[in-house]
Amino acid sequence: MWLVYVCDEEEKELGRQQAPGACPYCGGKVQAVDVESQRKLCFLPLCFKIKRKYFCTLCSRRLVLYY
């Protein structure tokens, strides 16, 4: 069986900035990263999103924000 993976997702970092709060695991500073993601199917763009992700600067863990 021959299967071709034709989907692709590209992520590009737009900027970083200091976020309020501290990491619950190590107490380090939190950094907010704005990421532009674009999904493609056979080189045709399907979806375009700008997301904000949070990381700890000390332990490099990705932090999830719950409202």
Side-chain angles (χ1 to χ4, degrees):
M1 183 176 192
W2 189 63
L3 180 67
V4 178
Y5 187 72
V6 292
C7 296
D8 187 27
E9 183 174 0
E10 295 178 4
E11 286 190 346
K12 185 171 83 172
E13 184 178 315
L14 297 176
R16 290 179 179 251
Q17 58 186 349
Q18 188 72 29
C23 176
Y25 301 103
C26 69
K29 294 182 180 179
V30 178
Q31 199 170 48
V33 179
D34 294 324
V35 176
E36 175 184 279
S37 66
Q38 184 176 14
R39 292 186 182 172
K40 294 181 181 181
L41 178 65
C42 293
F43 304 106
L44 297 172
L46 291 178
C47 183
F48 179 77
K49 289 184 182 178
I50 296 178
K51 303 175 189 175
R52 178 165 281 182
K53 297 182 179 181
Y54 295 93
F55 293 95
C56 175
T57 57
L58 229 79
C59 64
S60 300
R61 282 193 178 175
R62 184 164 187 278
L63 305 173
V64 179
L65 181 67
Y66 294 112
Y67 294 102

